[in-house]
Amino acid sequence: MKIKNICCIGAGYVGGPTMAVIAQKCPEINVTVVDINEKRIAAWNDNDVDNIPIYEPGLSKIVAEARGRNLFFSTDVDAAIDKADMIFISVNTPTKTYGIGKGMAADLKFIELCARQIARVSTSDKIVIEKSTLPVRTAETLKNILDNTGNGVNYQILSNPEFLAEGTAVDDLMNPDRVLIGGDIETEKGKEAVQALVDVYAHWVPNERILTTNVWSSELSKLTANAFLAQRVSSINAMSELCEKTGADVNEVAKAVGMDSRIGSKFLKSSVGFGGSCFQKDILNLVYIAKSFGLHEVADYWEQVILMNDHQKRRFAANIVKTLFNTVSGKKIAILGWAFKKDTNDTRESAAIYVADYLLNEQAEIVVYDPKVKSEQIYTDLDYLNSRAEKENRTHVTIVGNPYEAAKDSHAIALLTEWDEFNELDWKKIYDDMLKPAFLFDGRRLLERKTKEKIGFEFYAIGN
Ligand code: NAD
Ligand code: UGA
C-alpha cells in the first residue's frame, strides 16, 4: 500500500513537529495538518517562519523547506480527512476535570470527536493512527465508533505513540531511539496497514529501530515509558532532600549512581520538580487504570511519583519563605524562567507556576523573566489555578523583558528554568542592584556556588 496523502488532526507540540519532519523526509507524500484552533493554524502559516506557534530549535527551518511544497496547515478538517489514506490523531488528552475519574483519568472527548468526524466524512478506506497518548485499549473504542457507521469504509487502527521531548523535538524525531507501531498483526489487512506506516518511517529511520507489537502493548508502553522517566526524577529529587540534610551533594550522588551501566546517567538531574504536559497526566491516567482493575498496590506505587514531585515544588517555595526570615510579604522576588524546561515556550505544569502561586499566597511581589514565554501565558497559567482574583495576579505579578530588570531591587531570585543564558549573566551587576542580603535560589543546579558566594550572594541550590 503506497501512502500519498496524510492528514494529522491536531497542530500542537506533537502534530506540528512530527508532520513537519515526515513531510521533509517524504517529499512524495502530501501532509496536511489540521486544527480547529484558527489562531494556531494562522501562526503555522505565518509568512515569517519565526512566528510559528511552537518554539523548537531547528523547527522553523524544516517548516520553511516543506511548507507549501508537501506540508500544509489548514482549518478545513473535513477536506483533509476525506483526501487522506492515513490519518494521525494528535489531539490533546488532558486529565479529566469533571465527572467520573475527575483529576485522574484522561479526557478522551477530543479523541472521540475526531473518530466521529472521520466516520462521518470518510468515503474511502483509511488507516487511523493513535499518535496521542491514550489509555490502554482505546483503540477498541475507536474501532467501535468507526465500524458502526455503516458506510462500507474499512478502517485499520494503529497505535504509534510519540516519544519526542520538547526542546529536542527535532533531534528526537530525526534520530529516534525507536519508533513503536502497534497493529492488528493477526490479520492480512492489519499487517498491510502496519507495513504502510513502517514504510513512511523507513524513509529515514533504520529498520532495526522500528518496533512492531500488538496494539495494547504499544498503548501501554507509552504510559510505561513516561512513568519510568518521571519515576527517576522523583527518585533523585527524594535523594536531594536527604542530601541537604546530610552534607552529600545530589549531583555527586547522581554521577556515582548513574555510572553503573545498569542504571545509566540520564534523567538523574535533580530539580525543583518535573513539569510538562505529560508526566503528571500520564501517571495519573496509569493510576486510574490500575485502580479500575482493582490493582490498588500498583496504583499506590505509581501515585507516589506524583506526590514526591508535589512535595519537591512545595518544599522549594517553603524554603524561600523560611530563608527570608519567615516572611516574604511585600518582598520582591524575581523568578528567572517560566517554561517547564529550557528551549521550549511550553509552560504546561511548569514548576514555576506552583512556586509563584505559593509565594503569592505568602503575599510576595513577583517579577518574572523568561526568554520565550509570553506575558499573557504567564497570567493565564496563574489564573487557571484560581487561587485569587485575576486582578490580583496582575497587581502582584509583573513580567519584564530582561533578567536585570527582574532582579533590580529584589530580595531574592529563584531560578526555575535551566535556560543556558542564565549562566552567562553579569551576576555581579545583578548582585549590586539587589537588596541585601541578596538571596539566590537555584532550582536547577545550573549555577556554580563558589563564584556566586564570592560575589556575596546567600546561595541555595537543590540537593546541596
Ligand atoms: P496540544 O494541546 O499542543 O495540541 C493538540 C491540538 O489538537 C490543539 O491545537 C487542539 O486545538 C487540537 N484539537 C483538539 N481537538 C480537535 C479536533 N476535534 N479537531 C481538530 N483539532 C483538534 O497537545 P500536544 O502537546 O501536541 O499533545 C498531543 C498528544 O500527544 C497528547 O495526547 C500528548 O499526551 C501526546 N504527547 C505529547 C508530547 C509533548 O511533548 N507535548 C510528546 C509525546 C506525546
Ligand atoms: C517527556 C518524555 O521525555 C518524552 O519521551 C515524552 O514523549 C513526553 O514527555 C511526552 O509524552 O509528552 P517532555 O515532558 O517534553 O518529554 O520533557 P522531559 O525532558 O522529559 O522533561 C520533563 C520534565 O522533567 C521537565 O520539567 C524537566 O526539567 C524535568 N527533568 C527531566 C528533571 O527535572 N530532571 C531530569 O533529569 C530530566
Side-chain angles (χ1 to χ4, degrees):
M1 196 189 301
K2 266 246 157 306
I3 300 301
K4 291 201 191 77
N5 290 294
I6 287 178
C7 160
C8 173
I9 310 179
Y13 282 87
V14 168
T18 312
M19 293 304 126
V21 169
I22 290 184
Q24 194 211 31
K25 297 291 186 185
C26 311
E28 82 285 7
I29 302 178
N30 275 323
V31 180
T32 307
V33 192
V34 291
D35 205 294
I36 41 177
N37 182 336
E38 291 178 9
K39 218 170 125 198
R40 214 168 206 185
I41 290 296
W44 279 112
N45 282 323
D46 199 295
N47 285 337
D48 181 352
V49 279
D50 288 334
N51 291 335
I52 57 175
I54 285 161
Y55 173 71
E56 273 295 336
L59 180 61
S60 54
K61 198 163 156 259
I62 296 173
V63 171
E65 182 190 327
R67 200 177 57 185
R69 180 190 72 190
N70 66 328
L71 175 65
F72 307 95
F73 294 92
S74 165
T75 50
D76 192 346
V77 184
D78 281 1
I81 290 174
D82 191 31
K83 200 170 144 206
D85 326 295
M86 188 175 255
I87 301 170
F88 287 85
I89 301 181
S90 192
V91 299
N92 36 330
T93 49
T95 304
K96 262 186 102 175
T97 53
Y98 56 89
I100 298 172
K102 178 178 172 179
M104 293 232 115
D107 190 344
L108 298 181
K109 72 176 170 205
F110 304 112
I111 295 285
E112 183 173 338
L113 280 172
C114 290
R116 290 188 185 279
Q117 193 164 5
I118 294 169
R120 179 172 52 77
V121 170
S122 298
T123 51
S124 57
D125 293 355
K126 313 279 180 206
I127 298 172
V128 176
I129 301 171
E130 300 173 343
K131 185 52 114 177
S132 300
T133 302
L134 297 171
V136 54
R137 293 204 82 88
T138 304
E140 207 168 31
T141 311
L142 287 181
K143 191 155 179 51
N144 206 335
I145 294 170
L146 292 169
D147 283 350
N148 276 303
T149 54
N151 57 3
V153 170
N154 183 279
Y155 296 100
Q156 284 301 320
I157 296 156
L158 305 181
S159 157
N160 172 222
E162 185 47 61
F163 295 101
L164 69 79
E166 290 178 28
T168 53
V170 171
D171 273 354
D172 296 341
L173 288 164
M174 293 284 189
N175 190 23
D177 285 343
R178 80 312 211 173
V179 165
L180 180 57
I181 300 173
D184 183 5
I185 35 188
E186 302 295 315
T187 65
E188 266 320 300
K189 280 215 176 295
K191 266 196 256 173
E192 267 178 35
V194 168
Q195 191 55 46
L197 185 55
V198 167
D199 291 344
V200 171
Y201 283 109
H203 281 72
W204 78 99
V205 181
N207 251 322
E208 63 277 11
R209 293 210 198 156
I210 304 178
L211 205 65
T212 56
T213 64
N214 81 31
V215 182
W216 321 127
S217 303
S218 173
E219 289 177 335
L220 189 56
S221 297
K222 172 63 194 176
L223 291 182
T224 310
N226 273 358
F228 273 53
L229 290 169
Q231 179 204 43
R232 287 175 65 99
V233 178
S234 275
S235 296
I236 200 68
N237 280 345
M239 290 307 153
S240 74
E241 191 171 14
L242 201 52
C243 285
E244 288 164 31
K245 296 280 180 225
T246 56
D249 177 348
V250 77
N251 276 1
E252 291 179 354
V253 172
K255 187 168 179 195
V257 170
M259 278 174 79
D260 184 326
S261 61
R262 295 169 302 174
I263 296 174
S265 61
K266 291 180 183 166
F267 268 75
L268 285 181
K269 181 87 185 152
S270 185
S271 67
V272 57
F274 61 74
S277 63
C278 293
F279 279 178
Q280 174 163 308
K281 110 174 143 59
D282 292 348
I283 293 178
L284 289 173
N285 185 8
L286 195 64
V287 170
Y288 182 75
I289 294 169
K291 277 190 180 155
S292 63
F293 284 108
L295 309 179
H296 297 291
E297 290 78 6
V298 178
D300 291 349
Y301 176 77
W302 287 109
E303 192 165 20
Q304 201 57 38
V305 173
I306 301 289
L307 297 180
M308 185 63 226
N309 197 50
D310 289 341
H311 171 66
Q312 187 77 344
K313 292 182 272 190
R314 217 171 28 243
R315 82 175 184 89
F316 183 86
N319 184 48
I320 294 179
V321 178
K322 194 174 125 227
T323 311
L324 267 66
F325 317 111
N326 286 319
T327 176
V328 290
S329 180
K331 291 180 181 170
K332 176 177 168 183
I333 298 181
I335 290 186
L336 298 189
W338 192 263
F340 81 96
K341 62 187 281 200
K342 73 171 180 176
D343 290 340
T344 177
N345 60 349
D346 196 349
T347 63
R348 290 176 288 182
E349 290 300 328
S350 178
I353 303 169
Y354 297 94
V355 171
D357 185 59
Y358 188 105
L359 296 173
L360 285 165
N361 284 341
E362 293 285 336
Q363 302 185 344
E365 299 294 321
I366 301 289
V367 185
V368 183
Y369 165 73
D370 185 287
K372 290 288 175 198
V373 178
K374 298 206 167 102
S375 309
E376 59 184 298
Q377 185 61 52
I378 295 173
Y379 289 125
T380 307
D381 290 338
L382 287 167
D383 293 346
Y384 187 77
L385 294 183
N386 238 334
S387 300
R388 63 198 69 76
E390 295 184 4
K391 199 168 141 243
E392 295 278 294
N393 283 333
R394 278 139 195 87
T395 310
H396 298 293
V397 180
T398 314
I399 294 138
V400 296
N402 77 74
Y404 300 100
E405 198 182 336
K408 193 166 171 16
D409 299 327
S410 68
H411 288 78
I413 296 175
L415 190 154
L416 301 181
T417 313
E418 73 283 21
W419 288 103
D420 292 339
E421 68 175 59
F422 294 155
N423 238 328
E424 278 129 42
L425 298 177
D426 182 345
W427 283 100
K428 174 78 173 76
K429 174 177 161 47
I430 288 178
Y431 175 81
D432 288 343
D433 285 349
M434 285 174 69
L435 300 180
K436 307 296 177 315
F439 294 97
L440 176 52
F441 297 86
D442 182 355
R444 292 290 185 165
R445 292 303 296 265
L446 184 78
L447 306 173
E448 190 190 41
R449 171 184 288 278
K450 215 167 66 194
T451 49
K452 303 304 167 288
E453 283 181 342
K454 201 164 163 222
I455 290 171
F457 283 107
E458 299 279 332
F459 189 77
Y460 168 88
I462 285 277
N464 179 222

